[in-house]
Amino acid sequence: MKSFLNQIEGKWISQRTTYYMKNNKIDNNKAEFIIRKLKNIDSLIQTNNQYSAQGMQKYNAYSITWNSIPKKNIVYNIFSTDSDLHAGSIRKVDNQIYTKYNFYLENSNSLQLNYAENDIQSTEKIHLVNPNLRISTSIVKKFGKCIAISFASEIKIDNIS
């Protein structure tokens, strides 16, 4: 996971296509964003007792800044029970709204993210083809039935130090 995280830092451009099953609608979105590892996570993130109670330790935090209008900054906090970070939780903080994802590192280049709340479940698989190219697929289900699928390709256009 540490190698995976090191490779995702940088400035990226993204092309995402999403297909909505119910109305046969297709959305195409282009975006540009920057992923940065946050330096001093203890001063930026309050300790969350629910993760500590589950034996999870805070590993790191990353911010994603979307170059849209207005600019949007989202922080992702990574928690895990094992030092190799093969599995754990990611807590997304977006405008004081907290979302929890579970992650599983399938291999050194593939990460699976799972989200479930109420009747909605989503699975996203992110694959690093090489340090400058990643692809992802997403499936969103409601009541166990697929309502949307998505494919994205992302190209790193600059390394950020």
Side-chain angles (χ1 to χ4, degrees):
M1 180 66 153
K2 293 173 186 175
S3 172
F4 185 92
L5 292 172
N6 288 336
Q7 291 184 64
I8 66 169
E9 285 187 84
K11 185 175 184 179
W12 295 83
I13 54 173
S14 173
Q15 172 69 46
R16 178 175 297 273
T17 301
T18 305
Y19 175 67
Y20 298 94
M21 311 298 226
K22 185 175 181 177
N23 57 6
N24 292 329
K25 182 179 176 191
I26 296 176
D27 281 340
N28 291 300
N29 295 300
K30 293 180 184 176
E32 192 173 293
F33 58 94
I34 298 172
I35 300 176
R36 284 194 175 98
K37 181 177 177 180
L38 299 177
K39 303 291 184 209
N40 186 359
I41 63 173
D42 290 328
S43 66
L44 296 169
I45 308 164
Q46 296 178 350
T47 302
N48 189 319
N49 293 334
Q50 96 182 38
Y51 294 103
S52 300
Q54 295 172 5
M56 291 190 178
Q57 299 296 318
K58 183 172 27 185
Y59 168 69
N60 231 320
Y62 288 79
S63 74
I64 298 180
T65 304
W66 294 91
N67 289 339
S68 55
I69 300 174
K71 282 194 174 202
K72 187 163 182 71
N73 190 42
I74 302 171
V75 174
Y76 293 84
N77 308 301
I78 301 169
F79 297 85
S80 184
T81 54
D82 70 287
S83 60
D84 291 332
L85 298 169
H86 288 102
S89 291
I90 296 176
R91 185 173 172 225
K92 175 181 163 185
V93 183
D94 180 5
N95 231 3
Q96 300 301 315
I97 298 170
Y98 300 91
T99 308
K100 179 186 169 194
Y101 298 85
N102 292 317
F103 73 84
Y104 172 72
L105 190 64
E106 295 179 340
N107 60 50
S108 61
N109 293 326
S110 296
L111 179 71
Q112 179 172 314
L113 299 172
N114 298 306
Y115 167 80
E117 186 169 324
N118 299 325
D119 301 317
I120 302 288
Q121 305 88 33
S122 73
T123 299
E124 180 174 9
K125 292 188 177 190
I126 303 168
H127 181 73
L128 291 171
V129 177
N130 64 48
N132 296 317
L133 175 64
R134 66 185 208 181
I135 58 173
S136 67
T137 57
S138 301
I139 298 173
V140 180
K141 295 180 179 181
K142 186 172 184 178
F143 299 113
K145 184 178 178 183
C146 184
I147 60 171
I149 54 175
S150 173
F151 174 82
S153 61
E154 297 164 338
I155 298 170
K156 187 186 289 186
I157 56 175
D158 194 12
N159 289 313
I160 304 294
S161 306

